[in-house]
Amino acid sequence: MTIDEALRACERMNREDIAVTLDALGESVTTEAEAEASANVYHAMLDALAARGLNANVSLKLSQMGMDFDAALAERIVGKLVEHASAVNSFVRVDMEGSPYTEATIAMTERLQACGDGAGRVGTVLQAYLYRTEADAELLLGQGIRIRLCKGAYNEPAEIAFPQKTDVDANYVKLAKRMMTSGVFCGLATHDGAIVEKLLAFVRERSVPKNAFEFQMLYGIRRDLQRRLVKLGFGVRVYVPFGPEWYPYFMRRLAERPANVLFLLKNFLKS
């Protein structure tokens, strides 16, 4: 619920040689004051992570920073956070929301990366279920922008997203292999054991360095797989969401895609 509790979770993960990204929950703010308050939480986290010497960075959503009513405000707020991250040797991940945000999120990340303090200190997320993602990945990799690749959690229409899970999975593996060999350090966010096995086989076949990328997973989900990957010598980072906004966050995820909840319940049993 609090920054201190999130930091303690981070410390526990670090003791297991697992890195962390912290996400202070909250979306779709409606005033500048709310957006600035959200940013202040992230500034406090960046300072606390640096003070404690933790292997962690932060993830944020643009709708949490005022994107819905003032795009310039959101970019100014996130730009200050990227500057702060640079000053304390950290990193800001701009999370991806639904498809109405895709173009603006990518464009803002490009602009922040191009700024003096932003190079190497900001990245974003691409979703494998969108048809456009292969082109977006090439665009970002060409600029050295770090990507977190996920399958995608929002309920998108078939006009812009693969409707079949098999097609999403195939595209995920294709894109992941491209990122693993791109020379840009990317995060492969998946709990799918079958996909992980395909990527491990690719590492062996192509002699991909284990430090060329990292696996990313949710805090508390597939801890068995997280620990196995660490023992194999791969980098693992867990995504730790926290804060009092957990209930609306959960309900939005449930409304967007009910299968997500079933997935979480099934995988808690594998922890």
Side-chain angles (χ1 to χ4, degrees):
M1 294 292 287
T2 68
I3 291 178
D4 191 58
E5 289 171 336
L7 291 171
R8 288 201 297 271
C10 181
E11 289 169 345
R12 289 194 297 271
M13 292 296 95
N14 280 185
R15 286 196 291 271
E16 295 190 50
D17 293 324
I18 295 175
V20 169
T21 188
L22 296 176
D23 172 20
L25 292 174
E27 302 172 36
S28 302
V29 302
T30 58
T31 69
E32 182 174 349
E34 289 176 329
E36 293 287 1
S38 296
N40 288 338
V41 173
Y42 279 92
H43 283 294
M45 283 196 295
L46 287 169
D47 284 334
L49 293 174
R52 300 191 187 196
L54 296 173
N55 182 4
N57 54 40
V58 299
S59 294
L60 58 83
K61 290 181 172 60
L62 292 182
S63 67
Q64 190 179 5
M65 303 298 160
M67 187 71 174
D68 289 338
F69 62 91
D70 190 338
L73 169 69
E75 186 160 347
R76 177 176 61 79
I77 287 175
V78 178
K80 288 183 177 179
L81 286 166
V82 172
E83 290 176 9
H84 190 166
S86 179
V88 296
N89 194 30
S90 191
F91 177 81
V92 174
R93 178 81 64 186
V94 181
D95 279 339
M96 189 62 72
E97 300 178 70
S99 57
Y101 293 88
T102 302
E103 187 67 35
T105 300
I106 290 172
M108 186 185 296
T109 303
E110 290 180 283
R111 290 192 295 270
L112 293 171
Q113 164 80 1
C115 294
D117 291 322
R121 298 298 179 181
V122 63
T124 191
V125 180
L126 295 181
Q127 302 169 108
Y129 66 176
L130 296 179
Y131 301 137
R132 62 174 290 167
T133 296
E134 183 172 4
D136 290 336
E138 292 301 330
L139 176 70
L140 295 177
L141 292 173
Q143 298 170 72
I145 294 176
R146 291 164 57 178
I147 299 165
R148 174 198 291 144
L149 179 67
C150 66
K151 290 187 182 181
Y154 295 85
N155 189 15
E156 302 288 2
E159 289 77 15
I160 65 171
F162 294 102
Q164 299 298 321
K165 180 182 182 300
T166 53
D167 293 327
V168 176
D169 290 355
N171 200 43
Y172 186 99
V173 172
K174 175 184 178 181
L175 295 172
K177 290 178 178 178
R178 171 70 180 99
M179 293 176 191
M180 294 162 77
T181 55
S182 68
V184 179
F185 186 78
C186 292
L188 306 180
T190 182
H191 306 89
D192 189 322
I195 284 180
V196 169
E197 291 305 320
K198 289 179 181 179
L199 299 182
L200 294 180
F202 182 75
V203 167
R204 292 191 295 269
E205 292 164 5
R206 299 295 183 90
S207 299
V208 178
K210 292 181 179 180
N211 62 356
F213 66 97
E214 66 184 11
F215 287 102
Q216 297 189 359
M217 300 183 194
L218 285 168
Y219 179 65
I221 305 296
R222 291 305 311 268
R223 284 176 289 185
D224 59 328
L225 183 55
Q226 294 172 20
R227 291 165 178 157
R228 176 183 166 227
L229 290 169
V230 169
K231 288 182 180 179
L232 289 173
F234 292 95
V236 175
R237 185 178 303 273
V238 297
Y239 183 96
V240 179
F242 73 95
E245 296 296 316
W246 70 268
Y247 184 73
Y249 169 86
F250 177 82
M251 293 308 293
R252 277 191 291 272
R253 297 296 85 78
L254 174 60
E256 285 154 3
R257 184 168 285 195
N260 287 343
V261 179
L262 177 61
F263 166 79
L264 291 174
L265 292 175
K266 288 171 60 178
N267 282 280
F268 268 123
L269 301 176
K270 299 178 182 178
S271 296

